[in-house]
Amino acid sequence: LLHLSQKNYGVSLRSFNQVIKDYPRSNKKVSAMFGKAMLLKKMELNQQSAQALRDLIKQHPGAPEASRAQVEL
């Protein structure tokens, strides 16, 4: 996401939320959930980041991103 490289965190966060909301069955949802969690961490919103990671693990335990989420927690 170009917005991340330009530190437009608010725009990036909205983009991740849009994918999560609008495409709940898409294979992009899990990536968006992980991206959102990492963005929150980058923004130093550690509690929200941890919750987003836990949500990802709970909702998609078999996804590769869930393994990465476990590491980030």
Side-chain angles (χ1 to χ4, degrees):
L1 283 165
L2 179 61
H3 300 295
L4 283 176
S5 64
Q6 296 176 343
K7 297 194 178 184
N8 277 333
Y9 297 148
V11 173
S12 297
L13 192 57
R14 283 191 296 279
S15 295
F16 286 133
N17 284 331
Q18 194 75 38
V19 171
I20 293 164
K21 177 179 167 255
D22 290 349
Y23 306 99
R25 292 188 174 87
S26 167
N27 60 349
K28 302 294 183 199
K29 178 187 175 193
V30 181
S31 294
M33 291 176 77
F34 186 79
K36 176 183 175 179
M38 293 298 92
L39 177 59
L40 290 167
K41 187 174 187 176
K42 192 171 204 164
M43 294 169 69
E44 298 182 4
L45 298 171
N46 296 324
Q47 289 182 340
Q48 290 100 322
S49 175
Q51 184 59 54
L53 291 167
R54 286 191 295 270
D55 290 345
L56 187 159
I57 293 165
K58 183 177 179 181
Q59 294 175 28
H60 304 280
E65 291 87 349
S67 298
R68 292 172 59 197
Q70 284 282 19
V71 172
E72 292 295 333
L73 284 174

